[in-house]
Amino acid sequence: MRVVIAGAGSVGSSIARELLGNKHEILLIDEKPEVIGRSGLKGAKWLIGDACELTTLKDARLEEADVVVSATGDDKVNLVVSLLAKSEFGVGRTVGRVNNPKNDWMFDDSWGVDVAVNTPRLMTALVEEAVEIGDLVRLLTLQTGVSSIVEFTVPQDSPLVGGTISSIHLPEDCAVVAVLRDDSPITPSPDDVVEGGDEMFFLAAIAAEDELRAALSARGQQDDAEE
């Protein structure tokens, strides 16, 4: 896979290092020539230039990239690079780094961003995921503003315990994609029985998250029983 990364700072370099370890072809774009010497990224290709300039992106042969990652510390740059990658070069997948959470709403398909990575929000989600049992925690936004991956840790006293996954009345735009039990991942099937402590991961439309939260809570189960 050919990946072009705009921004060779700590974030861009870390991404490149991981991808190089997985044998992908990496090109990094940065305005500062000195980043090459301090990066220590063996096997990476480099292009010194402004990633917001069409000429630079043409030199990078962006049309041949499978993925473009905008990882600079400037949200404006990340948005422009994503938009150009999509609109001018037809790149199949773009990933944009969100530095300021207030700008998160702009990182969507209207700006050419397929996946927005909001580091502060992700860290918050991971903290909440570790301590919030019995509530829904959004871990990652996909196709920004459309769908997300959310996690729910089943309390020991939840009415879900002992029932099957198929008995959970999920909203139409939600699906169970994985269950983590005793540190082991499970591919869920409709007949699997829910256990206390299960970490359930859902792919859900963001608009359906509140309905999903109600379906997984005691209140949601009680409402169904009354009906």
Side-chain angles (χ1 to χ4, degrees):
M1 182 170 66
R2 184 170 190 264
V3 182
V4 175
I5 301 173
S10 57
V11 174
S13 295
S14 296
I15 296 170
R17 189 171 294 106
E18 292 289 331
L19 292 172
L20 286 167
N22 292 328
K23 310 302 181 183
H24 296 296
E25 180 185 346
I26 304 301
L27 171 68
L28 292 112
I29 304 175
D30 202 285
E31 291 185 291
K32 302 174 182 177
E34 61 268 23
V35 297
I36 300 177
R38 69 176 185 231
S39 69
L41 296 173
K42 295 181 179 179
K45 297 179 181 179
W46 291 87
L47 178 62
I48 303 303
D50 184 352
C52 291
E53 294 288 341
L54 273 174
T55 53
T56 301
L57 299 181
K58 287 179 180 177
D59 290 342
R61 306 193 328 273
L62 219 65
E63 69 278 1
E64 299 176 14
D66 297 293
V67 182
V68 169
V69 180
S70 304
T72 78
D74 189 327
D75 285 344
K76 297 187 295 296
V77 171
N78 293 341
L79 286 170
V80 170
V81 171
S82 297
L83 182 61
L84 291 175
K86 278 289 184 183
S87 62
E88 299 294 329
F89 298 92
V91 176
R93 189 166 184 80
T94 59
V95 179
R97 173 189 176 189
V98 185
N99 295 279
N100 187 340
K102 293 181 179 179
N103 296 329
D104 191 41
W105 64 275
M106 291 189 288
F107 282 74
D108 59 15
D109 55 1
S110 65
W111 276 93
V113 181
D114 291 318
V115 178
V117 180
N118 185 326
T119 303
R121 177 169 291 174
L122 180 58
M123 293 180 69
T124 300
L126 292 172
V127 170
E128 291 178 337
E129 187 267 339
V131 299
E132 293 287 342
I133 296 176
D135 196 9
L136 204 64
V137 177
R138 185 188 299 175
L139 299 179
L140 185 65
T141 300
L142 305 173
Q143 297 179 353
T144 307
V146 178
S147 58
S148 62
I149 293 178
V150 295
E151 185 269 351
F152 179 82
T153 300
V154 181
Q156 296 294 338
D157 59 352
S158 169
L160 300 178
V161 175
T164 62
I165 288 178
S166 62
S167 68
I168 304 173
H169 302 303
L170 297 177
E172 184 176 340
D173 295 330
C174 298
V176 185
V177 294
V179 175
L180 190 63
R181 180 179 296 162
D182 298 328
D183 296 326
S184 298
I186 300 171
T187 301
S189 68
D191 295 329
D192 284 337
V193 176
V194 178
E195 297 183 7
D198 281 353
E199 293 183 56
M200 306 181 71
F201 296 85
F202 299 86
L203 180 61
I206 290 176
E209 284 184 7
D210 287 342
E211 191 178 347
L212 175 60
R213 181 177 287 106
L216 297 172
S217 69
R219 177 175 57 82
Q221 299 298 312
Q222 290 167 358
D223 291 345
D224 290 338
E226 291 172 0
E227 293 176 2

